[in-house]
Amino acid sequence: MTDFEMADVIYIEPLVAEVVAKILEKERPNGILAGLGGQTALNLTAELAERGILSEYNVRVLGTPLEAIYNAEERERFKQTMERINEPIPRGFTVNSVEDAEEVAAQLGLPLIIRPSYTLGGTGGGVARTPEELRTIVSYGLQVSRIHQVLVEESVLGWKEIEYEVMRDAKDTCITICNMENLDPMGIHTGESIVVTPSQTLSDEEHQMLRSAAITIIRSLKIEGGCNIQFALKEGSYRVIEVNPRVSRSSALASKATGYPIARVAAKIAIGLHLDEIRNDVTKETPASFEPAIDYVVVKIPRWPFDKFPEADRTLTTTMKSTGEVIAIGRTFEEAMQKALRSLDIDKGFGFGYAAWSEPELQQLLERPTDDRIFVIYEALRKGLSVEEIARLSNIDPFFIKKIEKILRAEEDVKRGKDLDLNPEKVRKMKRMGFSDEQIAGITGRSREELSDLRRAQGIIPTYKMVDTCAAEFEAKTPYFYSSYEDECELTPSARKKVLIIGSGPIRIGQGIEFDYCTVHAVKALKEEGIEAHLINNNPETVSTDYDTSDKLFFEPLTLEDVLNVIEKENHDGVMVQFGGQTSVNLAVPLKKELDRITSKTAILGTEPENIDVAEDRERFSKLLRRLEIPQADSGYATSAEEAKEVASKIGFPVLVRPSYVLGGRAMRIVHDDTELARFIHEAVRVSKEKPVLIDKFLEKATEIDVDAVCDGGEVLIGAIMEHIEEAGIHSGDATCVIPPQSLSKEVIEKLQEYTKRIALSLQIKGLLNIQMAAKGDVVYVLEVNPRASRTMPYVAKATANAKESEIRDSEPDAVLLSNGPGDPERGKNALNIVKNLAGEIPIFGICLGLQIIARVLGGDTYKLKFGHRGANQPVKELKTGRVYITLQNHGFAVDKDTLGGIGELTQVNANDRTVEGFENSYLGIKCVQYHPEAGLGPRDTEKIFFDEFLGASLE
């Protein structure tokens, strides 16, 4: 959203009231939209209103009114509102102190649910089962609540949790987008729950009861836009738990599951449009007042970071611990569930990848669930626990347990029959239940390749269905697709040149929306070149999975089989793996191997997979650095604990353990002795799979540096050099870094640039590259290279903001300003090309580096100054008046005065060394100065000389 083309004006600033107040004072907007920025936006809008800032600048709250925010977010007012409209809520009281909470506990009894006002993701809340837990949770909840208020209410633990996503406009037209059923019972935050839509176990009577209640609630709160309402349901009785008067994490799920763009519609409602006036972009025919209808099953599963925090409490509670989520779409619950498990990218599934639990452990885990509870249910069934017993212990509806049992029985059926022939009916049945080729191959003792070839030979290939908001009742214009094993396929491949981009999957530590940013920009770039851009991903929280981002979207797991199925169906010209982070890069080598094996025409575009492997394989990359004579820390390789111990003893502790092909430092550790090495090496070897683990000497008291670059195989462009503020030893994703570097010497920077070029060219990188290095004294060590998009690339893009000529022209500017540097004007190729094309058409103004670039475009020369002009006391003499200005400057290059004769008139010089400080070309509408006229230092007399003329020329 902070891309400059996304809005007319963008501020990248802290989201605090003081900053927003200044923006409101400057911009004087007509309204403020609070409902799209989550809890932060609601809290901030309420604070601005309470400070009188909105009324001072006459800013109207658009969409959901302030009164609705207060009534939904403040627990006491919410309780009063529900009582007024006779909607049942759990008994409870709002409190402002621990002592008051203890009085409530004496009246209601334990356990109790604690819910702070104005918090996100269950922050500060929890289940209090003992007096000690009550005091602890309430104390913290009061701290994090914006108004220091918590609701203490009776427990509805174990009830079903049902959510409704509802829309309302100013005419009081209301629709439900979808209802969502949590597999997990009340007591587990909905963001932590496995969720399915449409609901599977509600009777029509229960659905209509809750739908009517949802519409009554949104009307009573007078919300204009979307909201999420959570209910607890038990045996035909329900309680209203809470209302989010904004888009929420569930809104993304509801939008992607139905194809109904909730945020887009909410924004249009906020500016006064009604639901029947807003067009459904997917069908292009129906209005937004039509409730979505779906003829498939969607399953959402969260992803937790416990692989990074093995000692953390994995128990699921009312407070969120997950970092992201996936959704999968199928024709049945079983199919969607198994596809969702594959999408998590955790090397686990039904029957594999997790610990062996004893029966007592299984019973305990069913009562106090963790992130493994879905696998616990499967193992409990395998060990003979009944559906009824599992339902009693877990409070999960027997319907879902029976569905998991059905998957288990299908697996056992194949094992029991030793069906090595695998007749087509049996294969098709298993594929319709979501089994992957790898799973079926493992059950029957085959290789994945054998099973895949057998399936194809039997004509068992996936068909693709549309997500179209209307269950195929109207023709969809911008559909997206999911796979299933049915007879009718709704996907028609085009004959255009087309490329598939592999996304990044769920948000997890080390891989977040940074890679969504990169995939979206890759889609835009392909479209600009007239190439049909397809995308495969499974994350509902990202822009890449919006229905209108790519030409075709496939909501699928990011596995070799699922990606290959899409490629085979569409027959793509190429596939791109470098924009989706580690998930997509890990597919490069196996995908190339499989494409070659089945003689597909589809090429992997960008850096060759063989060269990706050189970069990712720790041993091969270390040998490359030796060949290039680039320094690296003392190191060795290991594929076992014994080898690791031997390498570490040679190098000496502390050492750094680095597995190959990992994300976000997974299983990477600084190890100080043999005991720690023995503790961590097994996990490092496991995640490296067949690849070696690098064990290298840890560089103490070194400065770590990130470099982001792009290479076309012949030229290397360095986007930025980022200096870490903390010492080496903190993961680059956790480190604070600064652009440009502040303490690195000129010699170190030159080495960084040289090593980046050498590595990029030797690997024949075609596309993106991130290199991590460390400087110790004047020696620069290379730590690792990522031949893909990196976490820092959006940061670099936003910090450097490289403009495009087409975007400048599209904005129809009155004038263009080239800002200051510092930098070498010869290296500003993008700016040089843009100025060359715009000169004479649009007035152009340059400051500092801008002056040097303009001079070079017009035919002048530049040269490097011996010392450079730096500081706040540079004297600039204006030639026409003889007046001298005291200026701020920071540049190392200057324009050769002798070359100015043919390109413009010299207007200012440096009073000390007579270097060029300004020139103009009135015929072409060009005016430049070398100093910083906006700085306002010294006597502040440089502020108007340039900008008054800039504005005047623009207006003319």
Side-chain angles (χ1 to χ4, degrees), residues 881-898:
T881 64
R883 185 177 178 182
V884 174
Y885 301 94
I886 305 302
T887 71
L888 175 70
Q889 299 193 19
N890 181 25
H891 62 96
F893 289 80
V895 173
D896 184 347
K897 188 165 41 177
D898 294 337

Side-chain angles (χ1 to χ4, degrees), residues 844-859:
I844 302 176
F845 302 84
I847 298 173
C848 188
L849 180 61
L851 171 141
Q852 298 158 27
I853 286 171
I854 291 171
R856 289 188 70 89
V857 167
L858 298 181

Side-chain angles (χ1 to χ4, degrees), residues 631-646:
Q632 58 183 315
D634 290 342
S635 62
Y637 329 105
T639 55
S640 68
E642 293 72 26
E643 290 178 8
K645 188 174 180 180
E646 188 179 331

Side-chain angles (χ1 to χ4, degrees), residues 143-446:
Q143 287 180 46
V144 298
S145 169
R146 191 180 72 83
I147 59 173
H148 310 294
Q149 179 194 85
V150 301
L151 174 64
V152 180
E153 66 180 18
E154 68 176 344
S155 168
V156 286
L157 295 177
W159 290 39
K160 287 184 184 180
E161 185 161 9
I162 311 293
E163 299 175 77
Y164 276 75
E165 203 71 28
V166 197
M167 270 284 178
R168 176 182 176 273
D169 63 21
K171 284 202 308 189
D172 210 25
T173 301
C174 298
I175 64 168
T176 54
I177 308 304
C178 71
N179 69 346
M180 294 165 275
E181 180 173 0
N182 289 231
L183 267 70
D184 301 288
M186 291 296 301
I188 296 176
H189 191 283
T190 183
E192 300 283 89
S193 295
I194 297 174
V195 177
V196 59
T197 185
S199 62
Q200 302 291 295
T201 71
L202 268 61
S203 66
D204 185 60
E205 184 180 0
E206 288 172 324
H207 166 58
Q208 296 302 336
M209 173 180 70
L210 295 181
R211 181 182 181 279
S212 298
I215 290 174
T216 299
I217 291 166
I218 194 172
R219 281 178 169 154
S220 69
L221 290 170
K222 294 185 170 51
I223 290 169
E224 293 178 20
C227 80
N228 172 265
I229 303 175
Q230 296 167 25
F231 297 98
L233 178 69
K234 186 177 183 181
E235 298 172 357
S237 177
Y238 73 92
R239 302 286 186 273
V240 181
I241 302 303
E242 68 178 15
V243 175
N244 291 310
R246 54 173 171 82
V247 293
S248 66
R249 186 161 174 166
S250 297
S251 305
L253 167 62
S255 290
K256 303 302 168 71
T258 62
Y260 189 100
I262 292 172
R264 174 180 174 273
V265 174
K268 289 182 178 286
I269 288 173
I271 57 170
L273 289 174
H274 302 136
L275 283 165
D276 59 354
E277 298 171 325
I278 302 168
R279 186 180 62 178
N280 180 329
D281 258 9
V282 172
T283 64
K284 304 290 185 185
E285 294 178 17
T286 58
S289 54
F290 276 39
E291 288 194 348
I294 60 178
D295 53 358
Y296 45 81
V297 178
V298 182
V299 170
K300 176 212 90 175
I301 304 183
R303 197 184 197 283
W304 290 269
F306 297 128
D307 55 334
K308 292 290 184 66
F309 303 107
E311 295 173 7
D313 179 9
R314 300 173 78 129
T315 307
L316 302 185
T317 67
T318 58
T319 300
M320 281 181 61
K321 299 175 183 177
S322 58
T323 54
E325 62 194 31
V326 298
I327 68 170
I329 310 175
R331 303 298 283 181
T332 65
F333 173 80
E334 296 93 325
E335 181 181 37
M337 171 59 78
Q338 293 222 78
K339 287 174 72 176
L341 291 176
R342 288 208 300 280
S343 297
L344 286 172
D345 192 22
I346 56 174
D347 300 324
K348 291 181 185 179
F350 287 133
F352 66 91
Y354 46 80
W357 297 290
S358 66
E359 190 168 318
E361 287 174 327
L362 288 170
Q363 291 178 338
Q364 183 182 357
L365 288 168
L366 287 169
E367 287 184 311
R368 290 181 70 89
T370 69
D371 56 308
D372 278 331
R373 79 277 199 214
I374 199 73
F375 308 119
V376 168
I377 292 171
Y378 189 85
E379 282 302 302
L381 289 165
R382 191 199 290 272
K383 285 203 162 91
L385 269 71
S386 68
V387 170
E388 293 72 25
E389 177 67 3
I390 294 170
R392 184 186 67 80
L393 291 168
S394 67
N395 287 310
I396 292 175
D397 192 286
F399 171 87
F400 298 113
I401 301 169
K402 288 176 182 175
K403 289 288 188 179
I404 296 169
E405 184 182 41
K406 193 175 174 184
I407 295 170
L408 173 63
R409 298 294 170 247
E411 179 182 334
E412 289 178 338
D413 180 45
V414 173
K415 283 182 179 175
R416 193 166 43 246
K418 294 186 170 53
D419 191 349
L420 299 181
D421 291 334
L422 271 183
N423 61 69
E425 292 75 19
K426 190 162 285 189
V427 175
R428 188 177 295 277
K429 177 185 174 184
M430 294 190 80
K431 296 304 288 184
R432 281 180 170 171
M433 293 180 70
F435 282 90
S436 68
D437 288 353
E438 197 164 356
Q439 280 176 283
I440 302 172
I443 295 167
T444 59
R446 290 175 167 82

Side-chain angles (χ1 to χ4, degrees), residues 815-821 835 843-855 907-908 917-920 925-934 946-947 950:
V816 172
L817 169 66
L818 273 74
S819 185
N820 47 292
V835 172
I844 302 176
F845 302 84
I847 298 173
C848 188
L849 180 61
L851 171 141
Q852 298 158 27
I853 286 171
I854 291 171
T907 57
Q908 293 156 307
E917 291 283 0
F919 76 90
E920 62 183 24
I926 287 172
K927 182 176 178 64
C928 310
V929 293
Q930 181 65 71
Y931 54 89
H932 293 202
E934 79 282 10
F946 185 75
F947 285 109
F950 174 96

Side-chain angles (χ1 to χ4, degrees), residues 670-863:
I670 300 170
V671 173
H672 298 87
D673 52 43
D674 284 329
T675 304
E676 286 188 357
L677 183 65
R679 183 180 173 194
F680 297 124
I681 191 63
H682 292 289
E683 175 65 7
V685 170
R686 188 185 73 80
V687 301
S688 256
K689 298 182 178 173
E690 304 89 23
K691 296 293 183 179
V693 174
L694 175 69
I695 298 172
D696 58 359
K697 182 70 177 174
F698 174 61
L699 298 171
E700 297 181 279
K701 300 192 180 302
T703 300
E704 194 162 340
I705 302 125
D706 263 75
V707 180
D708 277 341
V710 64
C711 177
D712 62 5
E715 276 193 272
V716 181
L717 172 67
I718 295 175
I721 295 172
M722 293 155 275
E723 180 182 357
H724 293 202
I725 293 174
E726 296 92 351
E727 277 185 14
I730 294 176
H731 190 279
S732 61
D734 286 342
T736 309
C737 64
V738 60
I739 300 174
Q742 301 294 298
S743 67
L744 303 181
S745 67
K746 175 186 171 186
E747 291 73 23
V748 165
I749 290 175
E750 287 176 351
K751 286 178 183 176
L752 293 168
Q753 294 168 336
E754 174 59 28
Y755 294 167
T756 300
K757 290 176 184 175
R758 240 190 274 177
I759 291 169
L761 294 175
S762 65
L763 286 172
Q764 279 296 286
I765 295 292
K766 291 183 180 173
L768 300 171
L769 181 73
N770 168 266
I771 304 180
Q772 291 162 30
M773 308 190 208
K776 194 168 182 178
D778 288 335
V779 181
V780 174
Y781 298 90
V782 171
L783 305 178
E784 67 177 30
V785 61
N786 295 305
R788 55 168 171 79
S790 73
R791 187 166 185 171
T792 51
M793 281 180 182
Y795 164 49
V796 171
K798 304 300 170 73
T800 55
N802 218 10
K804 297 179 183 176
E805 182 184 341
S806 60
E807 291 164 344
I808 293 172
R809 290 187 182 279
D810 288 347
S811 67
E812 299 180 355
D814 296 308
V816 172
L817 169 66
L818 273 74
S819 185
N820 47 292
D824 183 346
E826 188 176 355
R827 299 187 62 191
K829 293 180 180 179
N830 183 57
L832 287 165
N833 288 332
I834 291 174
V835 172
K836 182 178 179 180
N837 293 333
L838 295 181
E841 291 184 39
I842 302 171
I844 302 176
F845 302 84
I847 298 173
C848 188
L849 180 61
L851 171 141
Q852 298 158 27
I853 286 171
I854 291 171
R856 289 188 70 89
V857 167
L858 298 181
D861 290 334
T862 56
Y863 63 96

